[in-house]
Amino acid sequence: MKHRIVVLGAGYTGAFAAGRLARRLSPEDVAITLVNAEPDFVERVRMHQLAAGQDLTPRPFAEMFAGTGVEFRLAQVTAVDADRKRVAVLDAEGAGELEYDTLVYALGSGWNAQGVTGTAEHAYEIASRPGALRLRERLARLDAGQAVTVVGGGLTGVEAVTELAETRPDLDVHFAVRGGLGDWLSPKGREHLRKVADRLGITVHEHAAVERVEAERIATATGDIPAAVTVWTAGFAVHPLAAATALEVTGTGQIVLDRTMRSVSHPDVYAVGDAGFAMGKNGKPLRMSCASGVPMAQVAADAIVARLTGGRVPEASIGYFNQCISLGRADGLIQYVTEDDRARNATLRGRFAARYKEIICKGAAWGVANPTFGLPTRRKRLTKTPTAQGSAMKALA
Ligand SMILES: Cc1cc2nc3c(=O)[nH]c(=O)nc-3n(C[C@H](O)[C@H](O)[C@H](O)COP(=O)(O)OP(=O)(O)OC[C@H]3O[C@@H](n4cnc5c(N)ncnc54)[C@H](O)[C@@H]3O)c2cc1C
């Protein structure tokens, strides 16, 4: 019997981890199954572009993993029993179960309505492909002069509002932010963002904490803002599935991890990406992003390989370098940051920054299909027979 590795979720981090494991472990010893609810890879960092009407390159998993040794399974994960090491799935043939020896949990996140009244009924989200497509369809039906309000002053909100304003200059675009515009950026970064917002005709509402979303407006602490369409980008919330397991999770449902991305309660379970809670530099939790998720996936895959093959187990110390922000297709902002993600007084701005960001997005998708970065790797054999693997893993831990 082979050692069964099951990876749940084929977003940036799960797909990357599955590919990296397959390129480093011998297919004679391991069987790797990647489970995902959709048949093709979703470039989540481009959901604002999809919503604005751009078409994205299709990336079917069947092509991406052909010949890699990863078995792709199109199914919805419905439950995880971390004590019995089983995963419940639902696919075209009905309900089923997968058993694992090692689990990599990478189900990502969705939008976070933050409990604000009216969001479920009236707001649109761009954290998922169905959400972005729904917004795209709604925007196509808006007449010139109608109001669109983007809520949430973080990276996703900034990218969304600038993309929409650039694509639809005929609309009345508003941006509602809880604090000041770009208040986490350096002074140069803030100044550039403000200039771009002015150039694109975006009306910025600062210190406007949203209290209620209605069909034609949103109510904020500083007054009403018109909104034939409200686009909600105020943070991400993880899938509730992990919190329903015996795994140790945070109050917000992220799986609590050690420095090898392994669950602190269940040593056979790893979590990567938005679903996992791990510490970065200076003891600060990593933020939900590809910028932290891809290194998490790299560490988890390498730790699994090391534990199974008797190698040295890597301990992560994941830090940040920059924040790459698109401001429409023709402008951008690269904000350099400290290792613990605080803005430094250094930026790249304008057209060059837009190109840089585009290269980063393309590189992230390329990395999913080339998880060892195109470098040749040796497929290692496991140190123990698969039947003795459980105790081998404990011994190597
Ligand atoms: C508009 C937008 C712009 C962004 N820009 C940036 C950026 O510039 N830089 C950056 O670092 N981050 C950015 N992010 C954040 C980034 O996209 C996420 O942090 C990242 O996608 C997380 O990766 P993940 O693998 O954890 O999850 P995801 O990419 O969300 O993947 C999760 C996968 O699990 C699958 N799945 C979920 N539930 C189930 C289930 N029950 N059964 C089966 N499959 C399931 C999904 O279909 C998906 O394939 C952006 C996000 C958005 C929405």
Coordinates of all heavy atoms in Angstrom, one line a residue, residues 9-14 35-38 42 44-48 75-77 106-109 126-127 156 159 236 239 241 272-275 287-291 324 357, ligand 1:
G9 N -8.4 21.3 -2.1 CA -8.4 22.6 -2.6 C -7.3 22.8 -3.6 O -6.1 22.5 -3.2
A10 N -7.6 23.2 -4.8 CA -6.5 23.4 -5.8 C -6.5 24.9 -6.2 O -6.5 25.3 -7.4 CB -6.8 22.5 -7.0
G11 N -6.4 25.8 -5.2 CA -6.1 27.2 -5.5 C -4.6 27.3 -5.6 O -3.9 26.4 -5.8
Y12 N -4.1 28.6 -5.4 CA -2.7 28.8 -5.6 C -1.9 27.9 -4.7 O -0.9 27.3 -5.1 CB -2.4 30.2 -5.2 CG -2.8 31.2 -6.2 CD1 -4.0 31.9 -6.1 CD2 -2.1 31.5 -7.4 CE1 -4.4 32.8 -7.0 CE2 -2.5 32.4 -8.3 CZ -3.7 33.0 -8.1 OH -4.1 33.9 -9.1
T13 N -2.4 27.6 -3.5 CA -1.5 26.9 -2.5 C -1.6 25.4 -2.6 O -0.7 24.7 -2.5 CB -1.8 27.4 -1.1 OG1 -3.1 27.1 -0.7 CG2 -1.6 29.0 -1.0
G14 N -2.9 24.9 -2.7 CA -3.1 23.5 -2.7 C -2.5 22.9 -4.0 O -1.8 21.9 -4.0
V35 N -8.1 17.3 -4.6 CA -9.6 17.4 -4.7 C -10.0 18.9 -4.9 O -9.5 19.7 -4.1 CB -10.3 16.9 -3.4 CG1 -11.8 16.8 -3.6 CG2 -9.8 15.5 -3.0
N36 N -10.8 19.2 -5.8 CA -11.2 20.5 -6.0 C -12.6 20.6 -6.6 O -13.0 19.7 -7.4 CB -10.3 21.3 -7.0 CG -10.4 22.8 -6.8 OD1 -10.1 23.4 -5.8 ND2 -10.9 23.5 -7.8
A37 N -13.4 21.6 -6.2 CA -14.8 21.7 -6.6 C -14.9 22.2 -8.0 O -16.0 22.0 -8.6 CB -15.5 22.7 -5.7
E38 N -13.9 22.8 -8.6 CA -14.0 23.3 -10.0 C -13.0 22.6 -10.9 O -11.9 22.2 -10.4 CB -13.8 24.8 -10.0 CG -14.9 25.5 -9.2 CD -14.8 27.0 -9.5 OE1 -15.2 27.4 -10.6 OE2 -14.5 27.7 -8.5
V42 N -8.5 28.7 -10.8 CA -9.1 30.0 -10.8 C -8.0 31.0 -10.3 O -7.5 30.9 -9.2 CB -10.3 30.1 -9.8 CG1 -10.8 31.5 -9.7 CG2 -11.4 29.2 -10.3
R44 N -7.4 33.7 -8.6 CA -8.3 34.6 -7.7 C -7.8 36.0 -7.7 O -8.6 36.9 -7.5 CB -8.3 34.0 -6.3 CG -9.6 33.8 -5.8 CD -9.6 33.2 -4.4 NE -10.1 34.2 -3.4 CZ -10.0 34.0 -2.1 NH1 -9.4 32.9 -1.6 NH2 -10.5 34.9 -1.3
V45 N -6.5 36.2 -7.9 CA -6.0 37.6 -7.8 C -6.4 38.4 -9.0 O -6.2 39.6 -9.0 CB -4.4 37.6 -7.7 CG1 -3.9 36.8 -6.5 CG2 -3.8 37.1 -9.0
R46 N -7.1 37.8 -9.9 CA -7.6 38.6 -11.1 C -9.2 38.7 -11.1 O -9.8 39.0 -12.1 CB -7.2 37.9 -12.4 CG -5.7 37.9 -12.7 CD -5.5 37.4 -14.1 NE -4.1 37.2 -14.4 CZ -3.2 38.1 -14.9 NH1 -3.6 39.3 -15.0 NH2 -2.0 37.7 -15.2
M47 N -9.8 38.4 -10.0 CA -11.3 38.4 -9.9 C -11.9 39.8 -10.2 O -12.9 39.9 -10.8 CB -11.8 37.8 -8.6 CG -11.7 36.3 -8.5 SD -12.4 35.4 -9.8 CE -11.1 34.9 -10.8
H48 N -11.1 40.8 -9.9 CA -11.6 42.2 -10.2 C -11.6 42.4 -11.7 O -12.4 43.1 -12.2 CB -10.8 43.3 -9.4 CG -9.3 43.2 -9.6 ND1 -8.6 42.1 -9.3 CD2 -8.5 44.0 -10.1 CE1 -7.3 42.3 -9.6 NE2 -7.2 43.5 -10.1
A75 N -14.5 17.2 -7.1 CA -15.5 16.9 -6.1 C -15.6 18.0 -5.0 O -14.6 18.8 -4.9 CB -15.2 15.6 -5.3
Q76 N -16.7 18.1 -4.4 CA -16.9 19.1 -3.3 C -16.5 18.4 -2.0 O -17.0 17.3 -1.7 CB -18.4 19.4 -3.3 CG -18.8 20.5 -2.3 CD -18.6 21.9 -2.8 OE1 -18.6 22.1 -4.1 NE2 -18.4 22.8 -2.0
V77 N -15.7 19.0 -1.2 CA -15.3 18.4 0.1 C -16.5 18.8 1.1 O -16.8 20.0 1.2 CB -14.0 19.0 0.6 CG1 -13.7 18.4 2.0 CG2 -12.9 18.6 -0.3
A106 N -6.3 23.0 2.1 CA -6.1 24.3 1.4 C -7.4 24.8 0.7 O -7.4 25.1 -0.5 CB -5.0 24.1 0.3
L107 N -8.4 24.9 1.5 CA -9.7 25.2 1.0 C -9.9 26.7 0.8 O -11.0 27.2 0.5 CB -10.9 24.6 1.7 CG -11.0 23.1 1.6 CD1 -12.2 22.5 2.4 CD2 -11.0 22.6 0.2
G108 N -8.9 27.5 1.2 CA -9.0 28.9 1.0 C -10.0 29.7 1.8 O -10.4 29.3 2.9
S109 N -10.5 30.7 1.1 CA -11.5 31.6 1.9 C -12.5 32.2 0.9 O -12.4 32.0 -0.3 CB -10.7 32.7 2.5 OG -10.1 33.5 1.5
I126 N -16.3 39.7 -4.9 CA -15.3 39.3 -5.9 C -14.3 38.3 -5.4 O -13.2 38.2 -5.9 CB -14.7 40.5 -6.6 CG1 -14.0 41.4 -5.6 CG2 -15.7 41.3 -7.4 CD1 -13.0 42.4 -6.2
A127 N -14.6 37.7 -4.2 CA -13.6 36.7 -3.6 C -13.7 35.4 -4.4 O -12.8 34.5 -4.2 CB -13.9 36.5 -2.2
T156 N -7.6 44.5 -1.9 CA -8.6 44.1 -2.9 C -9.6 45.2 -3.3 O -9.9 45.3 -4.5 CB -9.5 42.9 -2.3 OG1 -8.5 41.9 -1.8 CG2 -10.3 42.2 -3.3
E159 N -7.8 47.6 -5.7 CA -7.6 47.0 -7.1 C -9.0 47.0 -7.8 O -9.1 47.3 -8.9 CB -7.1 45.6 -7.0 CG -5.6 45.6 -6.5 CD -4.9 44.3 -6.9 OE1 -5.5 43.2 -6.9 OE2 -3.7 44.4 -7.2
F236 N -11.6 38.7 4.1 CA -12.0 37.3 3.7 C -12.3 36.5 4.9 O -11.8 36.8 6.0 CB -10.8 36.6 3.0 CG -10.3 37.3 1.8 CD1 -8.9 37.5 1.6 CD2 -11.1 37.7 0.8 CE1 -8.4 38.1 0.4 CE2 -10.7 38.3 -0.4 CZ -9.3 38.5 -0.5
H239 N -13.4 29.0 5.0 CA -14.4 28.0 4.9 C -14.8 27.4 6.3 O -13.9 27.1 7.1 CB -13.9 26.9 4.0 CG -14.9 26.0 3.4 ND1 -15.8 25.2 4.1 CD2 -15.3 25.9 2.1 CE1 -16.6 24.6 3.3 NE2 -16.4 25.0 2.1
L241 N -15.6 24.6 7.2 CA -15.4 23.2 7.4 C -14.4 22.8 8.5 O -14.6 21.9 9.3 CB -14.9 22.7 6.0 CG -15.4 21.3 5.6 CD1 -16.1 21.4 4.3 CD2 -14.2 20.5 5.4
V272 N -2.4 25.1 4.4 CA -1.6 26.1 3.7 C -2.6 27.2 3.2 O -3.8 26.9 3.0 CB -0.8 25.5 2.5 CG1 0.3 24.6 3.1 CG2 -1.7 24.8 1.5
G273 N -2.1 28.4 2.9 CA -2.9 29.4 2.3 C -3.8 30.1 3.4 O -3.6 30.0 4.6
D274 N -4.9 30.6 2.9 CA -5.8 31.4 3.7 C -6.4 30.5 4.9 O -6.8 31.1 5.9 CB -7.0 31.9 2.9 CG -6.6 33.0 1.9 OD1 -5.4 33.4 1.9 OD2 -7.4 33.4 1.1
A275 N -6.5 29.2 4.7 CA -7.1 28.3 5.7 C -6.2 28.1 6.9 O -6.7 27.6 7.9 CB -7.3 27.0 5.0
R287 N -0.7 37.2 6.8 CA -2.0 37.7 6.3 C -2.5 36.8 5.2 O -1.6 36.2 4.5 CB -2.0 39.2 5.9 CG -1.4 39.5 4.6 CD -1.4 41.0 4.3 NE -0.2 41.4 3.6 CZ 0.1 41.3 2.3 NH1 -0.9 40.9 1.5 NH2 1.2 41.7 1.8
M288 N -3.8 36.7 5.0 CA -4.3 35.9 3.9 C -3.9 36.5 2.6 O -4.4 37.6 2.2 CB -5.9 35.9 4.0 CG -6.4 35.1 5.1 SD -8.2 35.1 5.0 CE -8.7 34.3 6.5
S289 N -3.1 35.8 1.8 CA -2.6 36.3 0.6 C -1.8 35.2 -0.1 O -1.4 34.3 0.5 CB -1.7 37.5 0.8 OG -0.5 37.1 1.5
C290 N -1.6 35.4 -1.4 CA -0.7 34.5 -2.2 C 0.7 34.7 -1.7 O 1.5 33.8 -1.6 CB -0.7 34.8 -3.6 SG -2.2 34.3 -4.4
A291 N 1.0 36.0 -1.3 CA 2.3 36.3 -0.9 C 2.8 35.5 0.3 O 4.0 35.2 0.5 CB 2.4 37.8 -0.5
C324 N 2.1 44.3 -4.2 CA 2.0 44.6 -5.6 C 0.5 44.9 -5.9 O -0.3 44.0 -5.8 CB 2.5 43.5 -6.5 SG 4.2 43.0 -6.1
K357 N 3.4 44.2 -11.7 CA 2.3 43.5 -11.1 C 1.8 42.3 -12.0 O 1.5 41.2 -11.6 CB 1.2 44.4 -10.8 CG -0.2 43.7 -10.3 CD -0.1 43.2 -8.9 CE -1.2 42.2 -8.7 NZ -1.9 42.3 -7.4
Ligands
LIG1 C1 -9.7 40.3 -6.3 C2 -8.6 39.7 -5.4 C3 -7.3 40.2 -5.6 C4 -6.2 39.6 -4.9 N1 -5.0 40.1 -5.1 C5 -4.0 39.6 -4.4 C6 -2.6 40.0 -4.6 O1 -2.4 40.9 -5.4 N2 -1.6 39.4 -3.9 C7 -1.8 38.4 -3.0 O2 -0.9 38.0 -2.4 N3 -3.1 38.0 -2.8 C8 -4.2 38.5 -3.4 N4 -5.4 38.1 -3.2 C9 -5.6 37.1 -2.2 C10 -5.4 35.7 -2.8 O3 -6.1 35.5 -3.9 C11 -5.7 34.6 -1.8 O4 -5.1 34.8 -0.5 C12 -5.3 33.2 -2.3 O5 -6.0 32.9 -3.5 C13 -5.4 32.1 -1.3 O6 -5.0 30.9 -1.8 P1 -5.6 29.6 -1.3 O7 -4.9 28.5 -2.1 O8 -5.5 29.5 0.2 O9 -7.1 29.6 -1.6 P2 -7.9 29.8 -3.0 O10 -7.1 30.4 -4.0 O11 -9.2 30.4 -2.6 O12 -8.2 28.3 -3.4 C14 -9.1 27.5 -2.7 C15 -9.5 26.3 -3.6 O13 -10.3 25.4 -2.9 C16 -11.5 25.1 -3.6 N5 -12.6 24.8 -2.7 C17 -13.1 25.6 -1.7 N6 -14.0 25.0 -1.0 C18 -14.1 23.7 -1.5 C19 -14.8 22.5 -1.2 N7 -15.7 22.5 -0.2 N8 -14.6 21.4 -1.9 C20 -13.7 21.4 -2.9 N9 -12.9 22.5 -3.2 C21 -13.1 23.6 -2.6 C22 -11.8 26.4 -4.5 O14 -12.5 26.0 -5.6 C23 -10.3 26.8 -4.8 O15 -9.9 26.2 -6.0 C24 -6.5 38.6 -3.9 C25 -7.8 38.1 -3.7 C26 -8.8 38.7 -4.5 C27 -10.2 38.1 -4.3

